[in-house]
């Protein structure tokens, strides 16, 4: 039986083999992000994603003054957290989109983890192939 037939027949072990072989999230791994995949149902996949936004989001703002000099100052916490939220949400949407394109899934759940100030935040987004958008979001802080 071919790999395509096994995927279409819902062979979960083949799903994991296809994810490993195709490496659809490889470029996100370059940012230090780690991924773990799990499922016990062929229509559903969960992904745990370590965001490591501290390696991606800058803490300083650089601007060119009117005199042509470079000005460097600390980024405000509000702006930093806005950028962090944009980064994590963009990654979760990208993860779900790529997995829907790769496998015949109906639901993808992405748990994005971020360590901050000795706490571990988790944002879980539930995506449905039917709606092609997040259908719910939960945030856990522990």
């Amino acid at each position: 039986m071919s790999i395509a037939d096994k995927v279409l027949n819902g062979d979960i072990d083949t799903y994991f083999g296809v994810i490993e072989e195709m490496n659809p999230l490889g470029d996100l791994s370059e940012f230090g992000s780690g991924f773990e995949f799990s499922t016990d149902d062929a229509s559903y996949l969960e992904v745990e994603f370590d965001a490591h936004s501290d390696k991606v989001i800058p803490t300083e703002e650089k601007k060119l003054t009117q005199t042509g000099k470079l000005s460097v100052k600390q980024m405000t916490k509000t702006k930093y957290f806005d950028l962090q939220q944009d980064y994590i949400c963009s990654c979760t949407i990208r993860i779900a989109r790529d997995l829907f394109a790769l496998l015949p899934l109906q639901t993808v759940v992405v748990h994005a983890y971020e360590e901050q100030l000795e706490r571990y935040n988790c944002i879980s987004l539930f995506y449905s192939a039917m709606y092609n958008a997040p259908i719910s979001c939960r945030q856990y802080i522990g």
Side-chain angles (χ1 to χ4, degrees):
M1 187 180 271
S2 73
I3 292 175
D5 289 333
K6 288 179 183 179
V7 166
L8 293 175
N9 288 329
D11 183 346
I12 294 170
D13 290 331
T14 304
Y15 279 18
F16 294 128
V18 167
I19 291 170
E20 186 175 330
E21 177 71 26
M22 299 300 292
N23 195 17
L25 308 174
D27 57 333
L28 290 177
S29 296
E30 293 175 14
F31 296 115
S33 303
F35 300 95
E36 288 192 32
F37 303 92
S38 63
T39 189
D40 58 3
D41 183 332
S43 68
Y44 174 89
L45 187 68
E46 286 195 47
V47 182
E48 291 186 2
F49 163 60
D50 294 322
H52 297 294
S53 62
D54 57 325
K55 296 179 182 177
V56 179
I57 309 297
T59 57
E60 298 177 331
E61 275 186 285
K62 297 178 180 178
K63 294 183 180 180
L64 198 58
T65 65
Q66 288 183 341
T67 61
K69 293 184 179 180
L70 182 64
S71 167
V72 179
K73 64 180 183 176
Q74 279 298 114
M75 186 177 296
T76 65
K77 288 186 185 261
T78 302
K79 187 167 187 173
Y80 177 84
F81 289 125
D82 283 347
L83 288 173
Q84 183 185 49
Q85 178 181 336
D86 290 348
Y87 168 70
I88 291 173
C89 289
S90 296
C91 287
T92 59
I93 292 168
R94 160 76 192 288
I95 291 165
R97 184 194 70 194
D98 285 359
L99 291 171
F100 282 132
L102 186 62
L103 298 168
L105 300 165
Q106 293 301 311
T107 304
V108 173
V109 179
V110 181
H111 304 285
Y113 292 94
E114 180 64 41
E115 187 175 1
Q116 287 182 332
L117 304 175
E118 299 177 10
R119 295 190 317 182
Y120 219 51
N121 293 340
C122 174
I123 299 171
S124 296
L125 291 144
F126 298 79
Y127 294 89
S128 170
M130 180 186 304
Y131 301 110
N132 198 22
I135 53 175
S136 69
C137 177
R138 295 186 185 132
Q139 183 170 4
Y140 306 95
I141 300 175

